[in-house]
Amino acid sequence: MPLPTIEWEGDVNGRIRLIDQTVLPTELKFVYCEDIKSIWHAIKTLMVRGAPAIGIAGAMGVVLGVKDIQGESAETFLKELKQVTAYLAASRPTAVNLFWGLARMERIAQENLNKSVLEIKEALLQEALRIQNDDKIICRQIGENGVGFIKDGNGILTHCNAGGLATADYGTALAVLFKAKEQGKHIKVYADETRPLLQGARLTAWELVHAGIDVTLICDNMAGHVMKLGKVQCVIVGADRIAANGDTANKIGTYSVSILAKEHGIPFYVAAPVSTFDLSIKSGDEIPIEERSPEEITSGFGKRTAPEGVKVFNPAFDVTPARNITAIITEKGIIHNPSRENIQCLLGASGR
Ligand code: MRU
Protein backbone atom coordinates (compact mmCIF):
# COMPACT_ATOMS: atom_id res chain seq x y z
CA MET A 1 0.00 0.00 0.00
CA PRO A 2 1.40 3.46 -0.88
CA LEU A 3 2.78 5.44 2.05
CA PRO A 4 1.07 8.81 2.63
CA THR A 5 4.47 10.44 3.28
CA ILE A 6 3.28 13.93 2.42
CA GLU A 7 -0.14 15.11 1.22
CA TRP A 8 -1.83 18.42 0.53
CA GLU A 9 -5.26 18.79 2.11
CA GLY A 10 -7.81 21.22 0.68
CA ASP A 11 -7.63 24.12 -1.76
CA VAL A 12 -5.07 26.95 -1.98
CA ASN A 13 -5.88 27.81 1.63
CA GLY A 14 -5.31 24.22 2.71
CA ARG A 15 -2.50 22.55 4.65
CA ILE A 16 0.18 19.88 4.44
CA ARG A 17 -0.19 16.58 6.23
CA LEU A 18 2.94 14.53 6.69
CA ILE A 19 4.12 11.45 8.53
CA ASP A 20 6.33 12.61 11.41
CA GLN A 21 9.43 10.57 10.61
CA THR A 22 11.15 11.53 13.87
CA VAL A 23 8.87 9.29 15.95
CA LEU A 24 8.86 6.20 13.72
CA PRO A 25 8.95 3.25 14.17
CA THR A 26 7.23 3.34 17.56
CA GLU A 27 4.55 5.82 16.54
CA LEU A 28 2.83 6.47 13.20
CA LYS A 29 1.81 10.07 13.72
CA PHE A 30 0.67 12.75 11.30
CA VAL A 31 1.79 16.36 11.56
CA TYR A 32 -0.14 19.23 9.99
CA CYS A 33 1.61 22.30 8.62
CA GLU A 34 -0.66 25.30 8.13
CA ASP A 35 2.01 27.96 7.57
CA ILE A 36 5.46 28.35 6.10
CA LYS A 37 7.24 28.37 9.46
CA SER A 38 5.85 24.98 10.40
CA ILE A 39 6.92 23.31 7.13
CA TRP A 40 10.38 24.94 7.41
CA HIS A 41 10.64 23.46 10.90
CA ALA A 42 9.40 20.06 9.67
CA ILE A 43 12.11 19.98 6.98
CA LYS A 44 14.84 21.23 9.33
CA THR A 45 14.05 18.71 12.07
CA LEU A 46 13.65 15.81 9.60
CA MET A 47 9.96 15.23 10.27
CA VAL A 48 9.97 15.07 6.49
CA ARG A 49 13.28 14.00 4.96
CA GLY A 50 14.88 12.33 1.98
CA ALA A 51 15.75 14.31 -1.15
CA PRO A 52 12.59 13.84 -3.27
CA ALA A 53 10.28 14.27 -0.26
CA ILE A 54 12.05 17.51 0.65
CA GLY A 55 11.51 18.70 -2.93
CA ILE A 56 7.78 18.06 -2.58
CA ALA A 57 7.66 19.62 0.90
CA GLY A 58 9.42 22.74 -0.40
CA ALA A 59 7.01 23.08 -3.32
CA MET A 60 3.97 22.64 -1.07
CA GLY A 61 5.63 25.02 1.40
CA VAL A 62 5.54 27.72 -1.28
CA VAL A 63 1.76 27.33 -1.47
CA LEU A 64 1.60 27.84 2.30
CA GLY A 65 3.96 30.81 2.02
CA VAL A 66 1.81 32.70 -0.50
CA LYS A 67 -1.48 32.00 1.31
CA ASP A 68 -1.64 35.43 2.92
CA ILE A 69 -0.70 37.45 -0.15
CA GLN A 70 -3.88 39.24 -1.12
CA GLY A 71 -4.85 41.36 -4.14
CA GLU A 72 -1.41 42.95 -4.68
CA SER A 73 0.15 43.53 -8.11
CA ALA A 74 1.90 40.71 -9.95
CA GLU A 75 5.28 42.34 -9.28
CA THR A 76 4.63 42.51 -5.55
CA PHE A 77 3.45 38.89 -5.62
CA LEU A 78 6.64 37.79 -7.32
CA LYS A 79 8.79 39.73 -4.86
CA GLU A 80 7.03 38.13 -1.91
CA LEU A 81 7.22 34.70 -3.54
CA LYS A 82 11.00 35.06 -3.86
CA GLN A 83 11.19 35.80 -0.13
CA VAL A 84 9.18 32.65 0.49
CA THR A 85 11.48 30.48 -1.66
CA ALA A 86 14.62 32.01 -0.12
CA TYR A 87 13.29 31.24 3.34
CA LEU A 88 12.48 27.62 2.47
CA ALA A 89 15.83 27.19 0.69
CA ALA A 90 17.58 27.97 3.99
CA SER A 91 16.08 24.93 5.73
CA ARG A 92 18.60 22.30 4.49
CA PRO A 93 21.51 22.80 2.07
CA THR A 94 22.51 19.46 0.56
CA ALA A 95 19.58 17.80 -1.24
CA VAL A 96 19.30 19.64 -4.54
CA ASN A 97 15.70 18.47 -5.01
CA LEU A 98 14.63 21.21 -2.59
CA PHE A 99 16.13 23.95 -4.78
CA TRP A 100 14.89 22.21 -7.93
CA GLY A 101 11.32 22.17 -6.52
CA LEU A 102 11.50 25.81 -5.46
CA ALA A 103 12.81 26.83 -8.91
CA ARG A 104 9.90 25.03 -10.56
CA MET A 105 7.47 26.94 -8.36
CA GLU A 106 9.11 30.29 -9.22
CA ARG A 107 8.91 29.45 -12.92
CA ILE A 108 5.17 28.70 -12.67
CA ALA A 109 4.56 32.01 -10.91
CA GLN A 110 6.47 33.84 -13.66
CA GLU A 111 4.47 32.09 -16.37
CA ASN A 112 1.16 33.05 -14.74
CA LEU A 113 1.95 36.63 -13.77
CA ASN A 114 -0.72 38.03 -16.10
CA LYS A 115 -3.41 36.25 -14.05
CA SER A 116 -5.17 37.17 -10.82
CA VAL A 117 -3.46 36.43 -7.50
CA LEU A 118 -5.96 33.64 -6.84
CA GLU A 119 -5.23 32.10 -10.22
CA ILE A 120 -1.47 32.27 -9.60
CA LYS A 121 -1.99 30.55 -6.25
CA GLU A 122 -4.04 27.85 -7.98
CA ALA A 123 -1.33 27.35 -10.60
CA LEU A 124 1.24 27.01 -7.80
CA LEU A 125 -0.83 24.40 -5.97
CA GLN A 126 -1.28 22.42 -9.21
CA GLU A 127 2.48 22.51 -9.79
CA ALA A 128 3.23 21.25 -6.27
CA LEU A 129 0.75 18.39 -6.79
CA ARG A 130 2.34 17.66 -10.19
CA ILE A 131 5.77 17.39 -8.56
CA GLN A 132 4.31 14.93 -6.05
CA ASN A 133 2.45 12.85 -8.65
CA ASP A 134 5.39 12.82 -11.05
CA ASP A 135 7.58 11.52 -8.25
CA LYS A 136 5.27 8.53 -7.77
CA ILE A 137 5.66 7.62 -11.45
CA ILE A 138 9.41 8.31 -11.41
CA CYS A 139 9.94 6.02 -8.41
CA ARG A 140 8.11 3.14 -10.12
CA GLN A 141 10.23 3.67 -13.21
CA ILE A 142 13.44 3.62 -11.15
CA GLY A 143 12.27 0.32 -9.66
CA GLU A 144 11.66 -1.11 -13.16
CA ASN A 145 14.98 0.15 -14.48
CA GLY A 146 17.04 -1.15 -11.58
CA VAL A 147 15.47 -4.51 -10.90
CA GLY A 148 17.65 -6.27 -13.48
CA PHE A 149 20.64 -5.75 -11.18
CA ILE A 150 19.02 -7.88 -8.48
CA LYS A 151 19.32 -11.64 -8.86
CA ASP A 152 17.27 -14.27 -7.09
CA GLY A 153 18.95 -15.09 -3.79
CA ASN A 154 21.00 -11.87 -3.60
CA GLY A 155 22.03 -10.19 -0.38
CA ILE A 156 21.77 -6.41 -0.72
CA LEU A 157 23.14 -3.78 1.60
CA THR A 158 21.55 -0.34 1.87
CA HIS A 159 22.39 2.75 3.90
CA CYS A 160 20.02 5.36 5.33
CA ASN A 161 16.46 5.42 3.96
CA ALA A 162 15.70 5.83 0.27
CA GLY A 163 12.23 4.33 0.52
CA GLY A 164 8.64 5.45 0.33
CA LEU A 165 9.16 7.76 3.30
CA ALA A 166 11.88 9.64 1.42
CA THR A 167 9.75 10.14 -1.70
CA ALA A 168 6.11 10.52 -2.71
CA ASP A 169 5.58 6.82 -2.01
CA TYR A 170 7.73 4.00 -3.48
CA GLY A 171 11.30 5.09 -2.95
CA THR A 172 14.39 5.07 -5.12
CA ALA A 173 16.89 2.50 -3.83
CA LEU A 174 14.09 0.63 -2.06
CA ALA A 175 11.92 0.83 -5.20
CA VAL A 176 14.38 -1.57 -6.82
CA LEU A 177 13.98 -3.95 -3.88
CA PHE A 178 10.18 -3.65 -3.80
CA LYS A 179 10.14 -4.43 -7.51
CA ALA A 180 12.44 -7.44 -7.04
CA LYS A 181 10.05 -8.76 -4.39
CA GLU A 182 7.05 -8.17 -6.72
CA GLN A 183 8.84 -10.24 -9.35
CA GLY A 184 9.13 -13.10 -6.87
CA LYS A 185 12.88 -12.79 -6.34
CA HIS A 186 14.09 -13.94 -2.94
CA ILE A 187 16.31 -11.23 -1.51
CA LYS A 188 17.95 -10.63 1.84
CA VAL A 189 18.52 -7.00 2.72
CA TYR A 190 21.12 -5.72 5.19
CA ALA A 191 20.10 -2.30 6.50
CA ASP A 192 22.83 -0.15 8.05
CA GLU A 193 21.32 1.48 11.12
CA THR A 194 22.78 4.83 9.93
CA ARG A 195 24.13 6.83 12.83
CA PRO A 196 23.42 9.32 14.23
CA LEU A 197 19.70 9.60 13.44
CA LEU A 198 19.10 5.93 12.62
CA GLN A 199 17.15 6.35 9.39
CA GLY A 200 18.18 2.78 8.50
CA ALA A 201 17.00 1.24 11.77
CA ARG A 202 13.92 3.35 12.29
CA LEU A 203 12.69 3.87 8.71
CA THR A 204 14.24 1.39 6.24
CA ALA A 205 13.82 -1.58 8.55
CA TRP A 206 10.25 -0.45 9.27
CA GLU A 207 9.39 -0.14 5.58
CA LEU A 208 10.96 -3.47 4.64
CA VAL A 209 9.37 -5.39 7.51
CA HIS A 210 5.98 -4.00 6.45
CA ALA A 211 6.64 -4.98 2.83
CA GLY A 212 7.44 -8.54 3.90
CA ILE A 213 11.05 -8.30 2.72
CA ASP A 214 13.70 -10.26 4.61
CA VAL A 215 15.70 -7.51 6.35
CA THR A 216 18.55 -7.77 8.83
CA LEU A 217 19.61 -4.71 10.76
CA ILE A 218 23.34 -4.12 11.30
CA CYS A 219 25.33 -1.32 12.93
CA ASP A 220 27.20 0.81 10.41
CA ASN A 221 30.57 -0.53 11.52
CA MET A 222 29.52 -4.12 10.72
CA ALA A 223 29.17 -3.59 6.96
CA GLY A 224 32.75 -4.63 6.12
CA HIS A 225 32.50 -7.81 8.16
CA VAL A 226 29.15 -8.73 6.60
CA MET A 227 30.66 -8.22 3.13
CA LYS A 228 33.71 -10.31 4.01
CA LEU A 229 31.40 -13.13 5.08
CA GLY A 230 30.02 -13.13 1.50
CA LYS A 231 26.54 -12.09 2.51
CA VAL A 232 26.30 -9.06 0.19
CA GLN A 233 26.15 -9.27 -3.62
CA CYS A 234 25.38 -5.61 -4.22
CA VAL A 235 24.95 -2.27 -2.48
CA ILE A 236 22.16 0.11 -3.41
CA VAL A 237 21.67 3.59 -1.96
CA GLY A 238 19.85 6.83 -2.76
CA ALA A 239 21.35 10.26 -3.37
CA ASP A 240 20.93 13.87 -2.28
CA ARG A 241 22.93 15.55 -5.04
CA ILE A 242 24.86 14.20 -8.01
CA ALA A 243 27.48 16.46 -9.59
CA ALA A 244 28.15 16.68 -13.33
CA ASN A 245 30.98 14.13 -13.06
CA GLY A 246 28.86 11.59 -11.14
CA ASP A 247 30.25 12.29 -7.65
CA THR A 248 27.30 11.64 -5.35
CA ALA A 249 26.35 13.10 -1.98
CA ASN A 250 24.30 10.83 0.23
CA LYS A 251 23.88 10.19 3.94
CA ILE A 252 27.08 10.27 5.97
CA GLY A 253 28.69 6.83 5.87
CA THR A 254 27.82 6.11 2.25
CA TYR A 255 31.38 6.95 1.14
CA SER A 256 32.81 4.39 3.58
CA VAL A 257 30.35 1.77 2.32
CA SER A 258 31.48 2.46 -1.26
CA ILE A 259 35.12 1.83 -0.31
CA LEU A 260 34.17 -1.38 1.47
CA ALA A 261 32.21 -2.51 -1.59
CA LYS A 262 35.18 -1.78 -3.84
CA GLU A 263 37.56 -3.69 -1.58
CA HIS A 264 35.26 -6.72 -1.73
CA GLY A 265 34.51 -6.47 -5.49
CA ILE A 266 30.82 -5.78 -4.82
CA PRO A 267 28.87 -3.56 -7.28
CA PHE A 268 27.70 -0.26 -5.80
CA TYR A 269 24.52 1.25 -7.27
CA VAL A 270 22.96 4.67 -6.73
CA ALA A 271 19.22 5.06 -7.47
CA ALA A 272 17.98 8.62 -7.95
CA PRO A 273 15.60 10.72 -10.01
CA VAL A 274 16.95 13.13 -12.61
CA SER A 275 15.97 15.98 -10.27
CA THR A 276 18.83 14.91 -7.98
CA PHE A 277 21.46 15.79 -10.60
CA ASP A 278 23.10 19.20 -10.30
CA LEU A 279 24.97 19.68 -13.56
CA SER A 280 25.83 23.26 -12.56
CA ILE A 281 28.59 21.87 -10.36
CA LYS A 282 31.60 20.08 -11.79
CA SER A 283 32.39 17.69 -8.96
CA GLY A 284 31.40 16.58 -5.51
CA ASP A 285 33.87 19.03 -3.96
CA GLU A 286 31.32 21.78 -4.65
CA ILE A 287 28.41 20.08 -2.91
CA PRO A 288 27.47 21.92 0.30
CA ILE A 289 27.51 19.46 3.18
CA GLU A 290 25.04 20.12 5.97
CA GLU A 291 26.45 20.11 9.50
CA ARG A 292 23.97 19.35 12.23
CA SER A 293 23.79 19.87 15.95
CA PRO A 294 26.33 18.08 18.23
CA GLU A 295 23.47 16.83 20.42
CA GLU A 296 22.49 14.37 17.67
CA ILE A 297 25.72 12.54 18.54
CA THR A 298 26.17 13.28 22.25
CA SER A 299 22.55 12.77 23.35
CA GLY A 300 20.72 11.09 20.50
CA PHE A 301 17.10 10.24 21.31
CA GLY A 302 17.37 11.80 24.75
CA LYS A 303 20.17 9.71 26.26
CA ARG A 304 23.54 11.31 26.98
CA THR A 305 26.30 9.08 25.55
CA ALA A 306 29.35 11.39 25.64
CA PRO A 307 30.96 13.63 28.25
CA GLU A 308 29.84 17.25 28.61
CA GLY A 309 32.12 19.63 26.73
CA VAL A 310 33.48 17.10 24.21
CA LYS A 311 34.10 18.49 20.71
CA VAL A 312 31.82 17.07 18.02
CA PHE A 313 31.90 17.07 14.21
CA ASN A 314 28.53 16.11 12.72
CA PRO A 315 28.37 16.29 8.91
CA ALA A 316 25.05 14.86 7.71
CA PHE A 317 26.30 13.78 4.26
CA ASP A 318 29.45 12.69 2.47
CA VAL A 319 30.45 12.39 -1.16
CA THR A 320 31.08 9.10 -2.91
CA PRO A 321 33.41 9.61 -5.87
CA ALA A 322 32.04 8.54 -9.24
CA ARG A 323 34.87 5.98 -9.59
CA ASN A 324 33.33 3.97 -6.72
CA ILE A 325 29.89 3.85 -8.36
CA THR A 326 29.09 0.97 -10.70
CA ALA A 327 25.94 2.58 -12.11
CA ILE A 328 23.33 5.24 -11.39
CA ILE A 329 19.75 4.11 -11.89
CA THR A 330 17.36 6.91 -12.97
CA GLU A 331 13.83 7.01 -14.35
CA LYS A 332 15.31 7.73 -17.78
CA GLY A 333 17.62 4.74 -17.75
CA ILE A 334 20.94 3.55 -16.36
CA ILE A 335 24.23 5.40 -16.36
CA HIS A 336 27.01 2.81 -16.27
CA ASN A 337 30.43 3.94 -15.02
CA PRO A 338 29.19 7.47 -14.26
CA SER A 339 31.29 10.23 -15.81
CA ARG A 340 30.52 13.64 -17.31
CA GLU A 341 30.21 12.06 -20.77
CA ASN A 342 28.05 9.11 -19.71
CA ILE A 343 25.74 11.38 -17.70
CA GLN A 344 25.31 13.83 -20.58
CA CYS A 345 24.70 10.94 -22.93
CA LEU A 346 21.56 9.97 -20.96
CA LEU A 347 20.40 13.33 -19.65
CA GLY A 348 21.61 15.81 -22.24
CA ALA A 349 23.68 18.86 -21.35
CA SER A 350 20.97 20.52 -19.23
CA GLY A 351 20.25 17.36 -17.25
CA ARG A 352 16.48 17.90 -17.19
O1 MRU B 1 19.15 13.46 6.31
P1 MRU B 1 18.18 12.69 5.46
O2 MRU B 1 17.46 11.63 6.22
O3 MRU B 1 17.26 13.60 4.70
O4 MRU B 1 19.11 11.95 4.39
C1 MRU B 1 18.48 11.20 3.39
C2 MRU B 1 19.40 10.46 2.51
O5 MRU B 1 20.61 10.61 2.59
C3 MRU B 1 18.78 9.62 1.45
O6 MRU B 1 19.58 8.51 1.16
C4 MRU B 1 18.61 10.44 0.17
O7 MRU B 1 17.95 11.64 0.43
C5 MRU B 1 17.89 9.70 -0.89
S1 MRU B 1 16.17 9.57 -0.57
C6 MRU B 1 15.43 8.81 -1.88
Side-chain angles (χ1 to χ4, degrees):
M1 209 184 72
L3 269 175
T5 305
I6 177 161
E7 302 287 346
W8 182 266
E9 289 189 345
D11 61 10
V12 289
N13 294 312
R15 62 182 183 173
I16 299 170
R17 188 196 71 182
L18 48 89
I19 294 179
D20 180 355
Q21 299 191 33
T22 63
V23 296
L24 279 170
T26 49
E27 235 183 299
L28 180 55
K29 185 179 112 187
F30 290 104
V31 162
Y32 297 88
C33 299
E34 316 249 354
D35 57 34
I36 188 169
K37 281 200 174 139
S38 57
I39 189 64
W40 188 95
H41 180 256
I43 296 172
K44 180 77 184 169
T45 59
L46 275 54
M47 284 176 180
V48 58
R49 35 107 357 241
I54 296 176
I56 299 163
M60 289 183 177
V62 171
V63 185
L64 292 180
V66 300
K67 245 190 202 180
D68 294 334
I69 307 179
Q70 296 301 339
E72 285 110 5
S73 70
E75 287 66 32
T76 314
F77 186 92
L78 198 59
K79 209 172 132 205
E80 294 195 28
L81 177 104
K82 281 183 193 280
Q83 284 169 5
V84 163
T85 54
Y87 175 71
L88 290 167
S91 56
R92 293 192 79 189
T94 304
V96 76
N97 307 60
L98 173 63
F99 310 99
W100 166 86
L102 296 174
R104 263 181 73 157
M105 296 299 277
E106 276 193 29
R107 205 174 319 125
I108 282 293
Q110 296 267 15
E111 285 169 15
N112 288 278
L113 271 193
N114 57 343
K115 304 201 174 133
S116 71
V117 166
L118 180 59
E119 284 169 325
I120 305 174
K121 288 181 185 177
E122 269 160 6
L124 286 169
L125 174 57
Q126 288 317 311
E127 184 68 357
L129 296 176
R130 202 170 304 123
I131 290 173
Q132 179 196 26
N133 288 326
D134 286 354
D135 191 59
K136 293 183 184 175
I137 298 164
I138 287 166
C139 287
R140 302 271 157 179
Q141 197 58 55
I142 289 174
E144 294 268 348
N145 291 349
V147 72
F149 288 126
I150 310 293
K151 307 280 172 284
D152 192 39
N154 271 181
I156 301 127
L157 186 135
T158 191
H159 189 77
C160 194
N161 173 265
L165 289 164
T167 62
D169 81 24
Y170 197 61
T172 56
L174 295 197
V176 177
L177 307 183
F178 293 140
K179 189 71 200 168
K181 155 104 177 148
E182 280 165 39
Q183 289 186 349
K185 292 177 182 168
H186 300 92
I187 56 172
K188 195 166 173 50
V189 180
Y190 290 88
D192 278 352
E193 67 175 353
T194 317
R195 282 275 290 155
L197 295 181
L198 306 183
Q199 288 93 332
R202 297 186 304 103
L203 310 177
T204 295
W206 181 78
E207 282 196 45
L208 293 179
V209 163
H210 279 268
I213 291 181
D214 181 341
V215 54
T216 303
L217 182 63
I218 57 172
C219 300
D220 302 336
N221 51 4
M222 297 170 186
H225 181 65
V226 171
M227 288 180 187
K228 198 169 172 206
L229 291 175
K231 293 178 183 289
V232 177
Q233 281 67 51
C234 75
V235 172
I236 183 159
V237 296
D240 289 86
R241 195 186 292 227
I242 304 173
N245 69 346
D247 290 352
T248 295
N250 190 49
K251 178 53 56 192
I252 190 74
T254 305
Y255 171 49
S256 313
V257 173
S258 79
I259 294 170
L260 290 172
K262 205 170 192 178
E263 167 70 16
H264 292 89
I266 295 168
F268 183 97
Y269 302 112
V270 169
V274 170
S275 55
T276 303
F277 285 77
D278 181 357
L279 301 191
S280 75
I281 57 171
K282 286 199 189 73
S283 79
D285 295 343
E286 294 172 60
I287 299 177
I289 301 293
E290 176 181 13
E291 280 186 39
R292 296 186 62 85
S293 120
E295 285 73 36
E296 289 182 352
I297 294 181
T298 56
S299 8
F301 305 97
K303 181 169 168 48
R304 180 114 210 145
T305 51
E308 294 285 350
V310 69
K311 283 194 283 180
V312 171
F313 178 46
N314 184 17
F317 299 94
D318 59 25
V319 176
T320 297
R323 64 176 179 278
N324 290 5
I325 301 171
T326 312
I328 302 177
I329 304 156
T330 79
E331 71 274 27
K332 287 197 175 176
I334 292 164
I335 302 162
H336 295 275
N337 303 316
S339 64
R340 171 182 294 276
E341 295 69 35
N342 293 350
I343 289 171
Q344 281 197 8
C345 188
L346 186 79
L347 305 186
S350 76
R352 301 275 183 249

